[in-house]
Amino acid sequence: MRPPQPPMHTVVVDTYYPAFLHGFYRQRPGLADQPYAEQQRALMAAHFGTADYYSRNLAALGLPATEIVANCEPLQRAWARENGLSLPAGPWAVGRKGDQWTLGRRWGFLPWPQRPAIDSWFLPVLEAQIRAMRPEVLFFQDMNSFSPDFLRSLRPYVGRIVGQIAYSLAPDADFSAFDLILSSLPHYVERFRAAGIPSELFRLGFEASLLDELTPSARKHEVVHVGGYSPIHTERNEVLEYLVEAG
């Protein structure tokens, strides 16, 4: 009789807006020095983006899952410290022992002191995490941030590589390394299928557990916009501006 197989483990890789991350840590002095687990709990409790909604709902189905915020430098550096991964010091280490500078070139010729770029820790930490966790499903929320070469380098440590996208595609996007792409946009599904990449329609929803954490506000709003407002949201911005002008 074959022994029971362990539940399928999913790792959800996400990236957060840098402005949010800087504001989050600025409002919580000392958090960047805390263990990885404590930083992770605090970050998920902020409910930014999809937070830990994927992992908690998968867990409810008996499928263990883990979230990784791949571009959160203090969080990822904490994981590296706790797992013996050596990294160059970075911007979050300013003023602390071990802070390092390198000599670069500004405008191509002028010697200029600089700190190591995000590339010095971003992919090395994520790769080490995937190697350690070896998930059956590696699920990317930000598909534009990872090259096909990097994804293929993870092949020996994962079962399937899946991505979710409902945002603008990078001009040079190459998603050929994905086993499956999910999207809430039907035309994206058709586009990926036409390119020979398996794709399925994926309806996004609302995390109902948030309702238990909301506190009633004395201030009421007749209209509330939840979402992005930037130059890439052209039609959305026009609608919002029209509504404002219409009173």
Side-chain angles (χ1 to χ4, degrees), residues 103-125:
L103 191 63
R105 297 282 176 177
R106 194 171 191 182
W107 301 310
F109 64 89
L110 181 64
W112 200 265
Q114 61 187 19
R115 299 181 189 278
I118 187 173
D119 292 342
S120 68
W121 60 267
F122 180 61
L123 294 183
V125 178

Side-chain angles (χ1 to χ4, degrees), residues 67-241:
E67 254 96 10
I68 294 176
V69 185
N71 69 327
C72 182
E73 186 171 354
L75 178 71
Q76 293 295 82
R77 284 184 177 275
W79 189 94
R81 288 194 303 271
E82 295 168 16
N83 289 272
L85 182 63
S86 179
L87 298 172
W92 290 90
V94 172
R96 299 175 191 159
K97 185 177 180 180
D99 195 16
Q100 300 175 358
W101 292 80
T102 59
L103 191 63
R105 297 282 176 177
R106 194 171 191 182
W107 301 310
F109 64 89
L110 181 64
W112 200 265
Q114 61 187 19
R115 299 181 189 278
I118 187 173
D119 292 342
S120 68
W121 60 267
F122 180 61
L123 294 183
V125 178
L126 179 58
E127 180 179 1
Q129 289 172 314
I130 300 307
R131 290 169 66 110
M133 297 178 187
R134 295 178 180 263
E136 179 62 27
V137 176
L138 183 57
F139 186 88
F140 286 91
Q141 296 274 51
D142 181 5
M143 293 172 53
N144 285 331
S145 292
F146 303 94
S147 71
D149 287 342
F150 175 70
L151 297 182
R152 292 188 180 103
S153 73
L154 301 177
R155 279 289 175 196
Y157 317 107
V158 303
R160 295 289 185 270
I161 299 177
V162 181
Q164 187 278 138
I165 190 166
Y167 40 85
S168 299
L169 303 179
D172 57 347
D174 180 355
F175 298 147
S176 59
F178 285 90
D179 297 306
L180 174 67
I181 298 178
L182 306 177
S183 180
S184 59
L185 305 178
H187 67 286
Y188 272 14
V189 173
E190 295 174 2
R191 177 173 176 173
F192 295 134
R193 287 177 176 175
I197 303 174
S199 183
E200 295 293 339
L201 189 64
F202 184 59
R203 298 294 188 186
L204 301 179
F206 175 76
E207 175 54 41
S209 65
L210 281 172
L211 298 176
D212 298 328
E213 301 188 33
L214 296 177
T215 55
S217 173
R219 184 176 180 182
K220 302 297 182 181
H221 304 276
E222 294 182 0
V223 178
V224 176
H225 167 65
V226 179
Y229 183 84
S230 71
I232 67 171
H233 301 114
T234 307
E235 294 183 4
R236 178 188 303 175
N237 297 347
E238 291 175 354
V239 171
L240 293 173
E241 290 168 1

